Amino acid sequence: MHVVLIPGDGIGPEVTAATQRVVAAAGVPISWVVAHAGAACAERFGDLLPPETLDLIRRYRVALKGPCTTPVGEGFRSINVRLRQELDLYASVRPVRTLPGIQVPFQDVDLIVVRENTEGLYSGLEHVVVAGVVESLRVVTQRAAERIVRFAFELARREGRAKVTFCHKADVLRLSDGLFLQAARQVAADFPFIEFEERRIDNLCMELALDPTRFDVLVMENLFGDVISDLCAGLVGGLGLVPGANIGSRYAVFEAVHGSAPDIAGKGLANPIACLRSAVLLLDHIGQRTAAARIESAVLRTLQRGVGLTRDLGGDGTTETLTAEIIRHL
Ligand code: ATP
């Protein structure tokens, strides 16, 4: 089985290498096809996201991606946004669950954030109206709204989840979120066996701070989803732990929630768990369910024992010690 591997920038090469080692130790016969994207790639090849990288993902359909840095400012469109749009990876999926041994305010958090990945304010449509005034367009289409809500319900059905919460700001964004809300209600009617509820995004933030355990599957537009998924990562112990998937009808790209962490890059201090758990989602996606479950439980046992943990988890270990511990628990 071929899987494209994009090491990315900063800690990306470190966490993806650790992930490859664990996957190999679990005996999964994956041939990694290395492709490049990000700031380091731009320096070497003059392109943040070379067409060859997109071609490889189109060819092999599945990729594991390290964090890629997009230089801030004019002239660069975010690599992540481009990748999602070019490959129509319309659903971002982030499972968020309390992990053993991680001290957090709430136990028993177990929710999935589903985010529309191609439209909203991230459509990349910005222009200067006159000097000092800039407009960014927030695009919502019936088609994209329907398909992301349907995706969330299908996911809920597959995973045996009881409830889908649609999050919006339709009281203010009357037309755009109004359209999204109507689409959500229509799709929900096709899934009468799954509870459907609606929340305003500001209310949702308050409720997540008070008691995140009351939520199951959350679905929302792009910008809200970006913010809420990081908030939810914080609820269960931070960016170093939470995996992510970007899924379309043809291709899927799996990546950790965190960025390139330039402050610790190259020092061997990065926590590889978020990347590794993204690979677990990938293995599940390609039908390697047993290996996926083995790796996930090795991670959980490692966290439970609390040996070899990296600094972000309160330990004094390194990428190496944590990876070795996970492999020992396989
Ligand atoms: P980028 O510009 O690529 O988003 P950033 O530094 O703004 O990078 P993150 O990379 O997400 O954002 O990092 C935020 C903080 O979390 C940093 O202090 C970083 O060191 C820490 N961090 C992120 N990921 C990890 C990880 N896997 N292991 C340890 N610490 C991490």
Side-chain angles (χ1 to χ4, degrees):
M1 174 85 199
H2 290 84
V3 172
V4 176
L5 178 83
I6 303 174
D9 294 311
I11 60 170
E14 298 165 65
V15 294
T16 51
T19 297
Q20 285 176 287
R21 274 178 61 198
V22 179
V23 171
V28 192
I30 286 188
S31 300
W32 300 99
V33 181
V34 176
H36 297 283
C41 167
E43 266 170 38
R44 264 176 76 190
F45 306 110
D47 196 346
L48 283 168
L49 181 59
E52 301 80 54
T53 296
L54 286 168
D55 288 346
L56 284 172
I57 302 176
R58 289 196 180 101
R59 178 155 169 206
Y60 295 113
R61 289 170 176 260
V62 181
L64 178 69
K65 175 178 160 297
C68 291
T69 311
T70 304
V72 179
E74 251 173 76
F76 296 107
R77 271 181 66 210
S78 156
I79 300 164
N80 293 332
V81 172
R82 257 178 74 195
L83 198 62
R84 290 164 194 167
Q85 287 173 347
E86 299 258 6
L87 301 174
D88 198 22
L89 305 171
Y90 68 87
S92 156
V93 180
R94 290 185 183 173
V96 175
R97 93 165 30 136
T98 314
L99 296 164
I102 305 294
Q103 297 307 317
V104 283
F106 301 98
Q107 300 309 313
D108 306 323
V109 176
D110 184 9
L111 54 84
I112 306 177
V113 182
V114 176
R115 157 186 171 196
E116 204 291 319
N117 232 354
T118 60
E119 296 191 337
L121 270 172
Y122 292 6
S123 304
L125 301 172
E126 288 192 316
H127 56 261
V128 177
V129 182
V130 290
V133 181
V134 174
E135 272 183 357
S136 303
L137 298 184
R138 185 173 188 271
V139 179
V140 176
T141 64
Q142 174 90 23
R143 172 177 171 268
E146 268 179 27
R147 76 175 173 173
I148 194 65
V149 178
R150 191 165 295 283
F151 180 96
F153 272 98
E154 299 282 3
L155 179 72
R157 171 157 63 184
R158 263 201 322 278
E159 303 269 317
R161 300 277 178 156
K163 184 167 72 173
V164 171
T165 305
F166 175 70
C167 315
H168 64 88
K169 191 71 187 171
D171 51 327
V172 176
L173 302 167
R174 288 174 177 271
L175 285 179
S176 54
D177 270 13
L179 175 68
F180 217 135
L181 179 57
Q182 284 312 319
R185 287 176 181 164
Q186 276 164 20
V187 172
D190 294 341
F191 297 84
F193 43 88
I194 296 174
E195 187 188 341
F196 174 65
E197 63 178 17
E198 301 166 7
R199 281 289 185 286
R200 289 209 316 266
I201 190 69
D202 40 346
N203 263 18
L204 177 79
C205 290
M206 187 192 62
E207 288 187 57
L208 281 171
L210 288 174
D211 181 10
T213 63
R214 66 171 80 145
F215 295 104
D216 200 341
V217 175
L218 299 170
V219 58
M220 64 202 80
E221 64 90 55
N222 211 338
L223 173 63
F224 296 161
D226 194 5
V227 176
I228 294 297
S229 42
D230 272 24
L231 187 158
C232 289
L235 290 173
V236 296
L239 295 173
L241 295 168
V242 179
N246 297 290
I247 308 219
S249 45
R250 306 182 71 179
Y251 316 111
V253 176
F254 296 80
E255 64 182 331
V257 168
H258 60 73
S260 61
D263 50 336
I264 56 165
K267 297 182 179 161
L269 298 175
N271 176 357
I273 288 181
C275 183
L276 180 57
R277 295 181 75 219
S278 305
V280 166
L281 299 179
L282 184 156
L283 293 175
D284 230 13
H285 182 81
I286 62 175
Q288 293 278 351
R289 300 216 163 77
T290 312
R294 265 186 76 205
I295 297 174
E296 179 75 2
S297 39
V299 170
L300 300 188
R301 276 199 295 275
T302 303
L303 290 172
Q304 180 106 56
R305 285 283 312 283
V307 175
L309 301 187
T310 43
R311 286 189 202 171
D312 58 306
L313 300 177
D316 58 3
T318 60
T319 313
E320 172 58 39
T321 59
L322 184 47
T323 308
E325 270 303 295
I326 295 168
I327 291 175
R328 210 169 64 75
H329 282 104
L330 271 175

